[in-house]
C-alpha cells in the first residue's frame, strides 16, 4: 500500500521524520498524532468530572438513550453501569470508529474508512442544572478549537449559539458571510459524540465542509444525489459519522432511520444551514426547505418518549431581513424561546464596485427571448430555462440538491430601531479611519477569483475564453458531470485553478480563505444573492474585490423560471432593489448592502467602495425637467379623469366608445407607460434632448423621493406606469422657482 506524496510530506512536517509516527499520522489523521494519549486521558478525566454521580445513576442498562440537561448530549453508552473511564472512551469511539480518509487524489471519499484508534476528541462539560457556558467549558472548547481547527478562541456569537444549544434551546444565528457559523454546529458533534445532522442546500457546500472536516480529522459525510457511494447513507444511519450533511429532500425521506439514530448513538442537534432558503419571500423552487418543520414534529418529546427535551434546532444564515427571520422561526416550528444570535452583516475588508460592461448587451441576441416579460409564458421560455438555467424546477426536482439561487427574501426598509450587537461594533475613530484610508491605497494581492454568470452556457464560454489567454480557468455549473465538479472544486481549493466561472451552484457557504476577487458578470437576481456570493471573497480578512460588471444602460430582466404570480412580484421587487444598487452613485455600497438587511450601519461610510473613493457626481438641478415630466403626467391624468371620472387610474390599454358628430366609434386610448410619457415629455420640450434612459433615471429618482409610484398591479424592475402621489400633485401645483438638486443616477450619466 502506498501513500500519497503530499500526505507523506505533511506527515513528516507535522510529526517529524520517524517513519512509524508518520505512517500513524497518515493512517489515523492529525488528531491521533497530535493528541495521542493525552487526549484520551485528558478527556476521560474531564468526563469523569463532568458526569459525576449523576451519570452513573442515570439509567438502567436496558434503557435507551435518555436525555437530561447536559450529559444527555453525550454518547449512547453513557447510561451503562460501566466505569467512568469507559464511558468517555465509548463516547470517543462512537465518534471515531469510522473516520474519513482522503482518496488518493485528496478528495474526500467518506466511504473509505479504517477502523482507527481514538481519533476524535470529546470534551465533556460540567453539567449544572442551570446550564451556562462557564470559564471551564470555555477553556475546554478553546482547547478543542486549537487542536482541531487551529483557532485561538470562540467568537462571541459562536459562544452565544453554543450556550443556547447547551441549554437545549433552539437558536437562530444571523452572522456575516465568513464569520464562522459552521463551528456553531460542528462543535456540538465533537463535544458529545452524538451526531449532528446538517441540512444544507448545495452539494458544493456539503462537499466543501466534509473536505475541511476530513482535514481536521472529523468524521463527516454528505448524502444525496451528489454522493457517489450509496452505502454511505446506511453507514450514516448506523451512526458512523459525527456529522451528516444532507439536503432537505433527502432528510424528509430519512425521518424513520434518523429516529433510530436518535435512539441509538443520539442526535445532538439539527442544524439548518443557509436557512433563508425556507423563506416564502424567496424562490419556491426549493419547497422542501419549508417542510423542515418535520424535524420538530418527529424529534420531540411527544413523538420520542425517551427524549427529555426536543432535539434542538439551530438555523443559520448570513442574509436575512426581519421578515425572513420571523418566517423561518414560524415555518420550522422553532420554539417561542428561540435564541436569536445576531451580529453585523458588514464585511469591512470587501471593496465593492459597479462597472459598466459596454459589450454586455451583445451576449444576448434577443433580449425579448431571454427576458421574462409580464405576459410571457411561452414554451420558448421553458426551453431556455432547461437549456440555460440552474433553477429550473423540472430539472431540479429529480436531482434533490444542487443549485439554489439564494436571495429568498424581500428587501425591507431598514429597521433602524434594531441596534445590532455583536463582535463587529465599530466607529469611525481617527485610528480606524487612518487604517481604512491606508487600505484604500493597497494594491490587491494576486489570488483566486470566482466569476458568477447567470447561465450555464456562459460558464463554459467564459472559462474557455480565459483558458485561451493562458489563465487556469474552469467552468462550474449543475449540468457538468459530478466527477468533473468535484475535480474543479478540489483544484480550486488547492490553488490549481485560478478562476472558477460559475453559476449559483458554486455559491453559498463555499469557504476558501484567499479568494481575492468575486466578479459578477451580469446582473445578479437579487441583492441577497449578490451579497451571499460576494461573501466568498476575503475570508482570510484581507482586502478583496467584489465587482459587479453589468450593462448599466439596460434594465435587468428576470431569468426564466417557473414562478407563481406572488413569487414573480417578489422577485421583481428583489431585482429592482438590485438594479437600484447598481444605478446608485451617491451612497456607500457597503452601507447600502448592510442597510438592505435592516441593519443600522454604524459608520459614516466604508472608505473602500467605488462611491467612497470616487465620491458622488456633481449634483444636478433638474427642476425644469422634473416640472415638465410631472406636468405631462398630470395632464394625462386630468384628461383621463375628464373621460372616465376619477374612479381609479386604469393602466391597461382600453377601448372606449366615443360619439363624434353623432357617429359612435371605438377608439383605443393608450395607457401611459413610462416610454410614452418620456416621448411626450421630450416632444413638449425639445430643449431637453436627454436620452430616453436619462428620463428613466429621473423617473427612478422621482419614485424614490415619493413623487410618483407604480400605477400597475404587476411589479416591474423599473417603474412602468407612473402615477402621481399626493406629494407629486403638490410638486405639480407648486409654482416656486426652488431648485431641485439630485445626484444623477448612472443612467443619467451615460
Ligand atoms: N473562532 C474562530 N476563530 C478564527 N477563525 C474562525 C473561527 N471560527 C471560524 N473561523 C474560520 O472562519 C472561516 C469561515 O467559516 P464558515 O465557513 O463557518 O463561515 P460562515 O459564517 O458559515 O460563512 P457563509 O455564510 O459564507 O457560509 C473558516 O475558514 C473558519 O476556519
Ligand atoms: Mg456557512
Amino acid at each position: 500500500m502506498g501513500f500519497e506524496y503530499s500526505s507523506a510530506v505533511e506527515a513528516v512536517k507535522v510529526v517529524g521524520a520517524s517513519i512509524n509516527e508518520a505512517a500513524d499520522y497518515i493512517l489515523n489523521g492529525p488528531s491521533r498524532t497530535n493528541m495521542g494519549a493525552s487526549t484520551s486521558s485528558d478527556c476521560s478525566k474531564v468526563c469523569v468530572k463532568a458526569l459525576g454521580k449523576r451519570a452513573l445513576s442515570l439509567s438502567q442498562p436496558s434503557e435507551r438513550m435518555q436525555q437530561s440537561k447536559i450529559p444527555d448530549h453525550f454518547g449512547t453508552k453513557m447510561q451503562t453501569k460501566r466505569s467512568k473511564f469507559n464511558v468517555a472512551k465509548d463516547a470517543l469511539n462512537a465518534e471515531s470508529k469510522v473516520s474519513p480518509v482522503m482518496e488518493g487524489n485528496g478528495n474526500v471519499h467518506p466511504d473509505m474508512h479504517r477502523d482507527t484508534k481514538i481519533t476524535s476528541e470529546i470534551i465533556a462539560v460540567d453539567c449544572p442544572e442551570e446550564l451556562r457556558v462557564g470559564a471551564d467549558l470555555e477553556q475546554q472548547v478553546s482547547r478543542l478549537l486549537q487542536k482541531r481547527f487551529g483557532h485561538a478562541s470562540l467568537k462571541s456569537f459562536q459562544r452565544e449559539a453554543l450556550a443556547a444549544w447547551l441549554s437545549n434551546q433552539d437558536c437562530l444565528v444571523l452572522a456575516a458571510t465568513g464569520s464562522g457559523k459552521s463551528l456553531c454546529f460542528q462543535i456540538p458533534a465533537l463535544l458529545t459524540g452524538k451526531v449532528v445532522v446538517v441540512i444544507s442546500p448545495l452539494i458544493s457546500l456539503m462537499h466543501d465542509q466534509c473536505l475541511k472536516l476530513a482535514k481536521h480529522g472529523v468524521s463527516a459525510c454528505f448524502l444525496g444525489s451528489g454522493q457517489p457511494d450509496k452505502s454511505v447513507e446506511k453507514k450514516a444511519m448506523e451512526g458512523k459519522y459525527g456529522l451528516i450533511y444532507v439536503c432537505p429532500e433527502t432528510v424528509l425521506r430519512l425521518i424513520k432511520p434518523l429516529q433510530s439514530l436518535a435512539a441509538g448513538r443520539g442526535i445532538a442537534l439539527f442544524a439548518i444551514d443557509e436557512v433563508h432558503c425556507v423563506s416564502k419571500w424567496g424562490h419556491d423552487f426549493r419547497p422542501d426547505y419549508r417542510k423542515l418543520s418535520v424535524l420538530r414534529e418527529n424529534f420531540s418529546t411527544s413523538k420520542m418518549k425517551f427524549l427529555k427535551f426536543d432535539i434542538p434546532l439551530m438555523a443559520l444564515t448570513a442574509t436575512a431581513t426581519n421578515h425572513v427571520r420571523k418566517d423561518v422561526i414560524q415555518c420550522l416550528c422553532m420554539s417561542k424561546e428561540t435564541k436569536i444570535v445576531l451580529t453585523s452583516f458588514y464585511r469591512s475588508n470587501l471593496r465593492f464596485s459597479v462597472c459598466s460592461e459596454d459589450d454586455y448587451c451583445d451576449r444576448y441576441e434577443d433580449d425579448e427571448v431571454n427576458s421574462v416579460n409580464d405576459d410571457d409564458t411561452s414554451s420558448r421560455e421553458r426551453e431556455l430555462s432547461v437549456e440555460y438555467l440552474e433553477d429550473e424546477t423540472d430539472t431540479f426536482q429529480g436531482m434533490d440538491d444542487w443549485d439554489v439561487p439564494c436571495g429568498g427574501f424581500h428587501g425591507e426598509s431598514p429597521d433602524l430601531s434594531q441596534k445590532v450587537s455583536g463582535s463587529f461594533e465599530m466607529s469611525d475613530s481617527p485610528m480606524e479611519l487612518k487604517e481604512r484610508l491606508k487600505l484604500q491605497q493597497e494594491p490587491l494581492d494576486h489570488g483566486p477569483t470566482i466569476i458568477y454568470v447567470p447561465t450555464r452556457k456562459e460558464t463554459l464560454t467564459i472559462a474557455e475564453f480565459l483558458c485561451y489567454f493562458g489563465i487556469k480557468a474552469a467552468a462550474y455549473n449543475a449540468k457538468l458531470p459530478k466527477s468533473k465538479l468535484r475535480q474543479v472544486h478540489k483544484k480550486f481549493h488547492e490553488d490549481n485553478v485560478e478562476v472558477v466561472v460559475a453559476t449559483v451552484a458554486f455559491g453559498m457557504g463555499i469557504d476558501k480563505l484567499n479568494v481575492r476577487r468575486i466578479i459578477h458578470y451580469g446582473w445578479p437576481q437579487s441583492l441577497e444573492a449578490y451579497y451571499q456570493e460576494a461573501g466568498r471573497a476575503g475570508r482570510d480578512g484581507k482586502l478583496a474585490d467584489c465587482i459587479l460588471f453589468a450593462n448599466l444602460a439596460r434594465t435587468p430582466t428576470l431569468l426564466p423560471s417557473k414562478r407563481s404570480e406572488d413569487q414573480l412580484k417578489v422577485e421583481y421587487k428583489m431585482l429592482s432593489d438590485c438594479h437600484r444598487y447598481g444605478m446608485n452613485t451617491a451612497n456607500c455600497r457597503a452601507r447600502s448592502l448592510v442597510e438592505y438587511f435592516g441593519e443600522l450601519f454604524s459608520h459614516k461610510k466604508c472608505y473602500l467602495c467605488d462611491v467612497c473613493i470616487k465620491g458622488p457626481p456633481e449634483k444636478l438641478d433638474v427642476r425644469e425637467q422634473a416640472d415638465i415630466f410631472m406636468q405631462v403626467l398630470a395632464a394625462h391624468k386630468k384628461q383621463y379623469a375628464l373621460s372616465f371620472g376619477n374612479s381609479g387610474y386604469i393602466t391597461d390599454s382600453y377601448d372606449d366608445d366615443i360619439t363624434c358628430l353623432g357617429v359612435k366609434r371605438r377608439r383605443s386610448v393608450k395607457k401611459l407607460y413610462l416610454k410614452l410619457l418620456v416621448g411626450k415629455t421630450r416632444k413638449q420640450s425639445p430643449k431637453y434632448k436627454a436620452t430616453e434612459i436619462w428620463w428613466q433615471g429621473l423617473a427612478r429618482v422621482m419614485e424614490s423621493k415619493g413623487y410618483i409610484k407604480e400605477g400597475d398591479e404587476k411589479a416591474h424592475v423599473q417603474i412602468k406606469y407612473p402615477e402621481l402621489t399626493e406629494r407629486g400633485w403638490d410638486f405639480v401645483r407648486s409654482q416656486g422657482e426652488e431648485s431641485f438638486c439630485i445626484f444623477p443616477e448612472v443612467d443619467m450619466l451615460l
Side-chain angles (χ1 to χ4, degrees), residues 185-314:
F185 54 77
Q186 287 166 351
I187 286 178
L190 293 173
L191 276 176
T192 62
K194 285 194 193 180
V195 176
V196 170
V197 179
V198 186
I199 289 90
S200 177
L202 291 176
I203 288 181
S204 55
L205 171 53
M206 296 192 234
H207 186 220
D208 199 61
Q209 296 229 339
C210 288
L211 198 80
K212 287 231 161 59
L213 288 167
K215 277 186 187 156
H216 294 300
V218 180
S219 73
C221 70
F222 64 93
L223 308 178
S225 67
Q227 176 51 259
D229 187 333
K230 297 304 163 205
S231 69
V232 172
E233 185 173 302
K234 186 164 169 282
K235 287 179 194 160
M237 293 306 113
E238 286 166 0
K240 290 184 176 164
Y241 300 90
L243 284 118
I244 301 173
Y245 285 83
V246 63
C247 59
E249 292 79 1
T250 306
V251 91
L252 294 171
R253 177 169 62 74
L254 292 177
I255 295 296
K256 280 260 163 330
L258 283 170
Q259 282 179 332
S260 306
L261 184 62
R265 182 170 169 177
I267 295 178
L269 173 72
F270 284 106
I272 301 126
D273 203 9
E274 309 294 355
V275 77
H276 54 267
C277 295
V278 162
S279 175
K280 64 183 172 190
W281 293 289
H283 309 263
D284 73 358
F285 47 80
R286 209 56 194 268
D288 286 334
Y289 242 96
R290 289 193 76 74
K291 295 182 195 156
L292 290 175
S293 56
V294 293
L295 297 176
R296 177 44 39 85
E297 287 154 18
N298 288 286
F299 299 88
S300 60
T301 47
S302 57
K303 256 292 169 37
M304 303 184 82
K305 297 296 175 205
F306 62 87
L307 292 178
K308 283 198 176 167
F309 50 82
D310 301 344
I311 296 180
L313 303 177
M314 186 185 280

Side-chain angles (χ1 to χ4, degrees), residues 694-707:
W694 188 94
W695 290 99
Q696 269 183 28
L698 181 69
R700 200 177 322 106
V701 172
M702 300 304 280
E703 188 190 12
S704 65
K705 290 185 181 292
Y707 295 109

Side-chain angles (χ1 to χ4, degrees), residues 346-493:
Y346 178 40
R347 295 276 314 273
S348 58
N349 61 323
L350 300 188
R351 193 161 61 179
F352 290 95
S353 57
V354 178
C355 301
S356 184
E357 194 267 279
D358 293 332
D359 304 327
Y360 182 78
C361 44
D362 298 338
R363 289 197 297 155
Y364 295 105
E365 283 168 19
D366 182 356
D367 197 41
E368 287 297 306
V369 171
N370 284 284
S371 69
V372 176
N373 70 45
D374 303 343
D375 314 310
D376 189 3
T377 49
S378 65
S379 58
R380 205 161 174 203
E381 178 194 307
R382 290 210 9 83
E383 236 171 74
L384 275 167
S385 301
V386 176
E387 188 182 348
Y388 291 100
L389 302 176
E390 297 294 353
D391 56 353
E392 169 59 37
T393 315
D394 284 349
T395 51
F396 179 70
Q397 268 172 353
M399 297 167 57
D400 86 343
D401 45 8
W402 267 119
D403 311 304
V404 178
C406 55
F409 7 87
H410 219 344
E412 283 173 43
S413 48
D415 175 5
L416 300 182
S417 61
Q418 189 163 13
K419 185 96 173 79
V420 169
S421 67
S423 47
F424 294 80
E425 274 295 300
M426 291 169 106
S427 63
D428 296 335
S429 66
M431 263 305 278
E432 201 204 335
L433 199 62
K434 210 171 135 198
E435 280 302 304
R436 296 198 69 72
L437 292 175
K438 214 170 94 191
L439 207 58
Q440 236 185 45
Q441 316 298 330
E442 240 177 56
L444 196 67
D445 287 347
H446 276 291
T449 298
I450 305 176
I451 303 178
Y452 286 104
V453 291
T455 68
R456 292 178 190 139
K457 196 178 163 193
E458 283 164 304
T459 62
L460 302 171
T461 51
I462 294 169
E464 207 176 300
F465 176 82
L466 293 173
C467 287
Y468 181 79
F469 286 98
I471 296 165
K472 285 188 205 160
Y476 193 107
N477 74 60
K479 285 289 164 182
L480 293 170
K482 283 162 193 170
S483 57
K484 162 89 180 152
L485 297 182
R486 274 198 291 272
Q487 204 186 11
V488 172
H489 200 147
K490 177 176 158 272
K491 284 189 174 172
F492 187 60
H493 270 282

